[in-house]
Amino acid sequence: MNMTTQSIEVRKLPAALGAEVRGVDLREDLSDETFAQILRAWYDNLVILLRDQDLSEDQQWQFGSRFGPLAGGHIPELEGSREGIAYVSNVRKDGKLIGILPDGEMQFHSDQSYREQPSQGSMLHAITIPRVGGNTLFLNCYAAYETLPQDVKDRLKGLRALHVYDYNLNPTQRARTIAPDAPTQLQPVVRLHPVTGRRALYVSRLITAYIEGMPQQESDDLLGMLFDHMEQPRFTYEHVWKTGDVLMWDNRCTLHARTDFDPSETRLLRRITLKGEPAIAG
Ligand SMILES: [Fe+2]
C-alpha cells in the first residue's frame, strides 16, 4: 500500500476554537504519522478544518474511519445513505428529500447526547453551499466551563441532566413538550474528556430538558444561565462554508448550531458520525 507522509501545518483560527490543517490531501492514504498529527490538532483545537478537498463518499468514509468506528444511522430511504454516512441537505429527488435537517436555523447541541453512548465526533464535507447563510457555529465547552465562577462550578458538581431529542417533532428547535417515545438519557452536566482529561460543560439549548431532582423553576433558571453563558460570542467560532471544506468537531467538548439560509438555494453536505463512549462525569 502506498502510504503518504505529508508535512502538515496547523494554523489556529482567530476564534475561541478551531484550527485549519494545511498541506493534506485527504484522497491520499495518509501515513500513521500524518494521521497522528491531525489527531493531535483535533484534540488541541476541538475543531479542525481542511479546505479544498474533493472526496468521494468512499474516501470520506476511509478518512473518518481512522478516528474510530462510525455510528449507525443508515436511513435506507435516503440517497447514498450507508453506515455512519448521511447527507445534510434540502435537495429533493422526485419530490422527496435526499437528506436530513434540510432547512432553517438550528439551535446549539452536541450530536447524539440523548444516547447512552453519544457520538465522539462528527465530520461534514461541503459539496454545495448557499451564497449566504447556513453557517455552522461552534462553541468551546472547555472554556465555557473554565470561566464559570467557582460557586457555580461547586453547584454543578455531581449534577445530571436529562437530554431529549424528538426528531419527529422538530429536529432543529427545542420542543415545548417531551413526547413519551422520544429518546432520553441522563448525562453529567460537567463532562470529563477521556483523552484530554479536561472538563467541559455538557448541556445544550436544543437537547437538555431539565436537571435531575431539581424543582422545575430552579432547573430552568440554572440551565438558562448556563446556555446564555456558553453562547457568548467569545466562546464561539462561526464557520462560513466553502465548497470542498472538510470540518470535524469533537462532540465531547463542543456544541454546534446552524444559522438560517434561503430555502430556495441548494445546500448539500456529506456527514460522518463517529461512535462514542458513555460520558464520564467531571
Ligand atoms: Fe448536529
Side-chain angles (χ1 to χ4, degrees), residues 216-228:
Q216 191 183 334
Q217 191 58 53
E218 192 183 339
S219 166
D220 288 351
D221 292 348
L222 180 55
L223 285 174
M225 183 273 281
L226 292 174
F227 300 153
D228 291 346

Side-chain angles (χ1 to χ4, degrees), residues 101 106-107 109-112 122 165 206 249 251 256-257 271:
L101 306 170
M106 188 163 187
Q107 292 177 323
H109 63 282
S110 172
D111 291 335
Q112 301 182 349
S122 313
Y165 192 52
L206 179 62
W249 63 91
N251 281 310
H256 55 283
R271 186 181 77 176

Side-chain angles (χ1 to χ4, degrees), residues 24-39:
V24 183
D25 182 344
L26 297 179
R27 291 173 301 186
E28 307 272 334
D29 200 358
L30 306 178
S31 68
D32 289 346
E33 189 189 328
T34 302
F35 182 71
Q37 291 179 65
I38 293 173
L39 199 58

